[in-house]
Amino acid sequence: MKRKYLIGAFFACVLVFSAIVVLNTWTQSKLTVDERRFDFDLNGELSAEEQALMIRVMRLETQRGEKFSQREIRQLQSGQRDRSRGRGGGRGGRGREPSGPRLNPEQVVFRDGAATIPDRETFKKLSYQGTEVRIDTQLIGIEFVKFQIERTHTENPQLYFMNTETHRSHGSFMDAAGLRRGQGQMRGVLSYRPLFTSPNGEPGVYTFEFNPNDAFPFEEIKLAHDLLVSKMPILKDRLGYCPLWGAIGIYNREKARYDAAEFPVYFEDDLYENVGYLPLNQAASFGLLRVLELDERSTPRDIVICKTLPNEMPRVAGVITGARQTPLSHVNLRAIQDKVPNAFITKAWENASIARLIGKYVYYEVNADGFEIREATLKEVETHFADLRPSETQKPKRDLSVTEILPLDDIGFSDASRFGVKTANVATLRTLGFPEGTVPDGFGIPFYFYDEFMKHNRFYAKIAVLLDDTAFQNDYDTRVAALKQLRADIRNGETPDWMLNAFATLHNAFPEGTRLRCRSSTNNEDLPGFSGAGLYDSYTHHPDEGHLSKSIKQVFASLWNYRAFEARDFYRIDHLTTAMGVLVHPNFADELANGVAVTDDVVYQTIGNYYLNTQVGEDLVTNPEELSIPEEILMDWSDSNDYRVVTTSNRTADGGRILTDDYLRQLNGYLGIIHNKFSLFYGPIGRARDFAVEIEFKITSDGRISIKQVRPWGQ
């Protein structure tokens, strides 16, 4: 009897265990294959921490072009929990003994390292820059060479530069060089930071640091500095020490010695304040170098030097600003779209290499390490522009099949060819489950209305005559005047009765007295590779302005702005198949702040961070007021608590932060969802390694975040 009971109990346990396995398998089946990689506790769902890690890892996998192993994901998880952990192979650690004889620095083969670095090219060959940094997550995206100093307690210390492409860890290098762990060792990292100004005034700073938990006295730091400079001469007057958290205490105790030292000390935040050069868009071009005054007009062949940042600019061959510009301004978005070089260079018009070339044809190149500018021949210029323009006319998609104004909730991502990309993308944002009010609610006016209005007033025929006119084609002043008159004619054009009724019905759908924002939405903007940022105009319709058709016709007319016409003309885009839709929603009033965010760090090129610009009130980040400096923040993809304030706003009363921790937490969640969803919508383009999206957002008068626009970041 007892035996039967035990057998029955055994089978009952088996059944229960089987049920648990089946239930667990069924629960896990709710997760995709990719999601199950992050379900560490095997409970069939992802915790907030696991979801955050998933977003970070999948974005990094896109950057590197292949998936991480489970072991690497575990290492990233560990690094995410504690970013201040020491690097592998730290002082006092225990590892396996090297298998070969001990080598002096001069005996190490280049595949493993070097005794000296004679020039920048050698540093590049020895360096690593990317995502495979193991637990050294603070080095992601930075160009660095690891080094090791031996026998610091003797009269003949030895410096080894590691080939960091081959050996990511000190332990691996030590095994190759036959080095054993012991006293008198310093293991560090030499990093290159191209955006910052060195003590000698040249662009580019090198910094050296050690394990986060190391705390070397001043004499050993000076020893390391002197050894590095002696073995890498280009470091002279360009090298500074960067103490990490473990060294702050001893640095403070010895601060007087550092103050008197011949080398500077950089804390990480200091480096971002010392920016003297920013490569806003890395490209090369030819053109006529000229200083552009505020009341002057540029041409497509000009490389312009601007002492302040202009809000509007037609197509140019290159841009240099002497005042620091926001990377998310319409000017820089245009530079990215047009694939022309754009950089901030401190007091560029006084720079000796630039000033002597003003008024001459030049070759101008912007890259991560610096800029190149030299005199060019007219033949080089002519060849460049002949090769740059498309050889055939391009016709943007224009679908006139939708003949009614529709609410945004009835418009989808695929409707861009009927309503314009801006309208379709805002409508798509409304499907992502954000809290009510996060995305504006409104209507889309399709291209059909613009086309019927233009035909009703016979404007297409008038435009065709202009396009065939020799003076219009060849004289900029004639073109400017003719386009100005055309816009006036469109604003004063007759609106058919059926269209007036449709606009009135749209207007009446909003509460009486609502100010309506009428926003341009064309088939020639917000596209991958062509943002069209700043080409067209939007208008606010106030309650006392009468019929809504007034503001809508102003938006229609903006299709024929000089800057928009020039951009289309350069790219041989058919003007007559370009169409204007209108996105209509309540206008934001008295907003507390406005900003732009990109789902990658498009400025400092760190990996794993969002880049955010924010300014108070109605001072637009995309079209900033003169001398406006927005708040600039880098925020980790997966952890809103991990952020760096690079620049504070110069418009806040007390210098305080605009984006508080609560706002950063909300934006972090929104940006992750938007990036992942839109990468799917854009298909193969969205799966590209450099794909990112840009959003425009506001903090409304009642303190809520509202997202007003999303577009692919210019590629």
Side-chain angles (χ1 to χ4, degrees), residues 19 23-24 45 151 160 185 301 381 416-417 424 431 450 493 509 597 608 622 633 664 677 688:
L23 179 61
N24 188 50
E45 58 185 28
R151 300 176 176 176
Y160 297 78
Q185 293 178 332
R301 291 184 171 223
V381 175
S417 61
T431 68
Y450 168 81
T622 52
I633 290 179
L664 289 177
K677 293 294 184 182

Side-chain angles (χ1 to χ4, degrees), residues 555-628:
V555 178
F556 285 170
S558 76
L559 193 72
W560 300 97
N561 281 325
Y562 172 74
R563 62 184 181 274
F565 183 91
E566 287 294 294
R568 294 196 302 268
D569 194 60
F570 186 87
Y571 288 103
R572 301 189 194 278
I573 294 170
D574 186 350
H575 298 288
L576 295 177
T577 57
T578 303
M580 178 66 77
V582 185
L583 169 62
V584 182
H585 60 70
N587 184 59
F588 296 97
D590 303 320
E591 61 258 35
L592 302 179
N594 76 92
V596 181
V598 184
T599 57
D600 263 330
D601 175 11
V602 295
V603 179
Y604 304 103
Q605 302 299 313
T606 61
I607 296 175
N609 290 308
Y610 298 125
Y611 179 81
L612 300 92
N613 272 186
T614 315
Q615 189 55 287
V616 297
E618 298 181 8
D619 184 1
L620 296 176
V621 168
T622 52
N623 289 91
E625 297 175 6
E626 186 176 356
L627 303 181
S628 172

Side-chain angles (χ1 to χ4, degrees), residues 149-155 157-158 183-186 220 223:
I149 302 176
E150 294 279 311
R151 300 176 176 176
T152 61
H153 57 301
T154 71
E155 293 183 358
Q158 295 177 311
Q183 296 298 313
Q185 293 178 332
M186 301 174 77
E220 292 189 49
L223 169 68

Side-chain angles (χ1 to χ4, degrees), residues 171-190:
S172 171
F173 171 76
M174 291 175 68
D175 182 58
L179 303 179
R180 291 165 173 76
R181 301 181 185 278
Q183 296 298 313
Q185 293 178 332
M186 301 174 77
R187 284 178 278 281
V189 176
L190 179 63

Side-chain angles (χ1 to χ4, degrees), residues 448-459:
Y448 173 80
F449 280 68
Y450 168 81
D451 184 63
E452 288 296 313
F453 174 83
M454 296 294 283
K455 288 189 296 189
H456 180 81
N457 289 277
R458 296 183 175 86
F459 287 139

